[in-house]
Amino acid sequence: MQNVETEMKEALETAGITLLQAVRLALDLVETGRVRQHRGGVSMRQCREMIQLGCEQWRARRHSVSFSVALRDMLSAKSRRRQHTVAEIKSVCGRLLRGVPGLGRRRVSGITAQQLAEMLEQVFPTQRQRAKARVILHGLFAHCRRRGWLHTGDNPAAMLRYDSLEEKEIVPLAWEQIQSLLGTARRAGHRPCMAALGLMLWAGIRPAEVTRLSWSDIDSAEGVVAVHPQHSKTGGCRHVHICPALKRWLAHCPRPAGGGRVCPPNWQRRWKRLRTASGIIPWPQDVLRHTFASYHAKHFRNFPLLQLEMGHRSAALLRSRYLSMRGITAAHAAAFWK
């Protein structure tokens, strides 16, 4: 017994703590961790596990950085990503920094899921905005974890859950509206917009994607439009079939001698003038992509092919949001493609 007491005193002296301090630390560990009691006393294995986990998190916090530093580092790492993607990250995080005083100086390792949820509620008024911000912040904290600034597996954004957003039906353009839009595009003042309009309407190319397309991406010999990873919204590559209607339409589109971009200079202003002149006011967002999907489903009735053409990873979004064949007749659907 005397040897045990001697060894205990030597160990405490080596550690630089008193017997009273050691007892208090042990009690705190047992009470805080709610360690199970055994016949021989508390579970030493559980105590050691808690000490090890606590030390890992403590070291991670010591090597952590502020929110602002982490954001700058992530933006630097993503500098080669699409300009729109980087701008979205800056916009969301910028709103957080302006709306939450002192956030820029806070260490990322000290931000909990509860605190993050409160920040999002404070800064972003709608559930859709909060859900989008959560995705961006998930990427930021994942970047911090890879850098070693965050405890392994500790991503506060991953712990946030939002109810599924109710998707509103987007009605495709009616046959008369399509004819008005195409007729307006054929006029002299709007002809430079013809190619981009055709690609959105008959190939389902997204509005942002079409601004990145070049004439070299249109392969008439193979009969496809190539949407490269750096041009697509999801970062994946896809080839969209050029249907007969689109092939004939592109044949009448003005094309610069040296190729270049499909969209003409001052595209946004020209595109808005064309929409206004066609009489479709207000203009529903992404309505041409929805029109492509709905007319495709009505005529071909081939969901796997449509999913491939649109570049969706699953058919869930396609069925829940994109397909609305209200008012589309079989005759109009056939005429749309031929």
Side-chain angles (χ1 to χ4, degrees), residues 282-296:
W283 180 264
Q285 185 178 2
D286 287 339
V287 70
L288 293 182
R289 185 166 164 84
H290 285 263
T291 300
F292 164 81
S294 298
Y295 277 81
H296 193 289

Side-chain angles (χ1 to χ4, degrees), residues 45-62:
R45 180 179 60 81
Q46 285 182 295
C47 289
R48 289 192 181 97
E49 286 178 355
M50 285 189 292
I51 291 171
Q52 182 179 359
L53 289 173
C55 288
E56 289 178 1
Q57 190 164 7
W58 180 76
R59 282 193 293 269
R61 287 191 177 184
R62 285 198 65 189

Side-chain angles (χ1 to χ4, degrees), residues 252-296:
H252 293 88
C253 293
R255 182 181 306 200
R261 297 283 186 180
V262 168
C263 292
N266 299 319
W267 160 249
Q268 295 297 343
R269 187 178 302 173
R270 287 173 177 268
W271 176 228
K272 185 176 181 179
R273 284 207 304 262
L274 169 57
R275 299 195 315 255
T276 303
S278 68
I280 307 175
I281 303 172
W283 180 264
Q285 185 178 2
D286 287 339
V287 70
L288 293 182
R289 185 166 164 84
H290 285 263
T291 300
F292 164 81
S294 298
Y295 277 81
H296 193 289

Side-chain angles (χ1 to χ4, degrees), residues 203 237-241 289 292 296 302-315 318:
C237 178
R238 73 181 190 275
H239 283 187
V240 186
H241 174 68
R289 185 166 164 84
F292 164 81
H296 193 289
N302 188 336
F303 285 177
L305 175 60
L306 179 56
Q307 178 186 335
L308 183 66
E309 298 268 87
M310 297 190 73
H312 286 169
R313 292 188 175 91
S314 72
L318 184 64

Side-chain angles (χ1 to χ4, degrees), residues 12-31:
L12 291 173
E13 289 175 0
T14 303
I17 59 176
T18 66
L19 177 60
L20 180 59
Q21 289 174 326
V23 171
R24 285 176 175 170
L25 287 172
L27 288 174
D28 287 342
L29 182 63
V30 173
E31 292 174 3

Side-chain angles (χ1 to χ4, degrees), residues 186-201:
R186 292 189 184 97
R187 298 176 190 169
H190 301 296
R191 283 177 57 80
C193 298
M194 283 181 63
L197 167 61
L199 290 167
M200 289 187 285
L201 182 63

Side-chain angles (χ1 to χ4, degrees), residues 47-304:
C47 289
R48 289 192 181 97
E49 286 178 355
M50 285 189 292
I51 291 171
Q52 182 179 359
L53 289 173
C55 288
E56 289 178 1
Q57 190 164 7
W58 180 76
R59 282 193 293 269
R61 287 191 177 184
R62 285 198 65 189
H63 292 89
S64 187
V65 297
S66 68
F67 186 92
S68 293
V69 170
L71 176 59
R72 286 197 298 269
D73 190 79
M74 185 181 74
L75 289 172
S76 176
K78 293 183 179 293
S79 59
R80 295 187 179 181
R81 296 287 297 273
R82 293 193 306 272
Q83 185 177 0
H84 178 71
T85 301
V86 176
E88 276 193 327
I89 297 172
K90 288 181 178 179
S91 174
V92 168
C93 294
R95 287 183 65 178
L96 273 171
L97 288 168
R98 291 190 298 272
V100 182
L103 174 60
R105 299 188 300 273
R106 293 180 63 174
R107 290 182 179 272
V108 290
S109 59
I111 299 175
T112 65
Q114 178 63 33
Q115 292 169 342
L116 194 60
E118 292 172 356
M119 292 179 198
L120 295 183
E121 288 281 346
Q122 176 182 338
V123 176
F124 301 100
T126 68
Q127 184 177 333
R128 186 178 294 275
Q129 290 176 342
R130 291 192 290 271
K132 182 177 182 180
R134 176 211 169 264
V135 173
I136 290 175
L137 290 171
H138 187 283
L140 173 62
F141 286 108
H143 175 81
C144 293
R145 190 173 59 187
R146 290 191 294 270
R147 285 282 198 250
W149 300 332
L150 205 63
H151 183 58
T152 304
D154 188 15
N155 188 329
M159 304 176 193
L160 302 184
R161 292 290 181 269
Y162 293 106
D163 295 334
S164 299
L165 297 172
E166 181 182 353
E167 297 288 0
K168 296 181 180 179
E169 178 186 13
I170 297 182
V171 180
L173 293 179
W175 182 252
E176 295 74 16
Q177 290 177 311
I178 294 174
Q179 297 308 306
S180 174
L181 189 62
L182 296 177
T184 305
R186 292 189 184 97
R187 298 176 190 169
H190 301 296
R191 283 177 57 80
C193 298
M194 283 181 63
L197 167 61
L199 290 167
M200 289 187 285
L201 182 63
W202 281 299
I205 308 296
R206 295 180 177 91
E209 291 174 342
V210 80
T211 62
R212 306 174 191 129
L213 286 181
S214 299
W215 283 100
S216 59
D217 297 321
I218 303 173
D219 192 335
S220 301
E222 291 292 327
V224 295
V225 179
V227 182
H228 301 289
Q230 65 270 29
H231 298 158
S232 74
K233 177 183 177 181
T234 58
C237 178
R238 73 181 190 275
H239 283 187
V240 186
H241 174 68
I242 298 177
C243 67
L246 178 58
K247 184 177 181 179
R248 285 195 294 273
W249 181 262
L250 290 175
H252 293 88
C253 293
R255 182 181 306 200
R261 297 283 186 180
V262 168
C263 292
N266 299 319
W267 160 249
Q268 295 297 343
R269 187 178 302 173
R270 287 173 177 268
W271 176 228
K272 185 176 181 179
R273 284 207 304 262
L274 169 57
R275 299 195 315 255
T276 303
S278 68
I280 307 175
I281 303 172
W283 180 264
Q285 185 178 2
D286 287 339
V287 70
L288 293 182
R289 185 166 164 84
H290 285 263
T291 300
F292 164 81
S294 298
Y295 277 81
H296 193 289
K298 181 72 175 182
H299 183 64
F300 297 107
R301 309 189 69 83
N302 188 336
F303 285 177

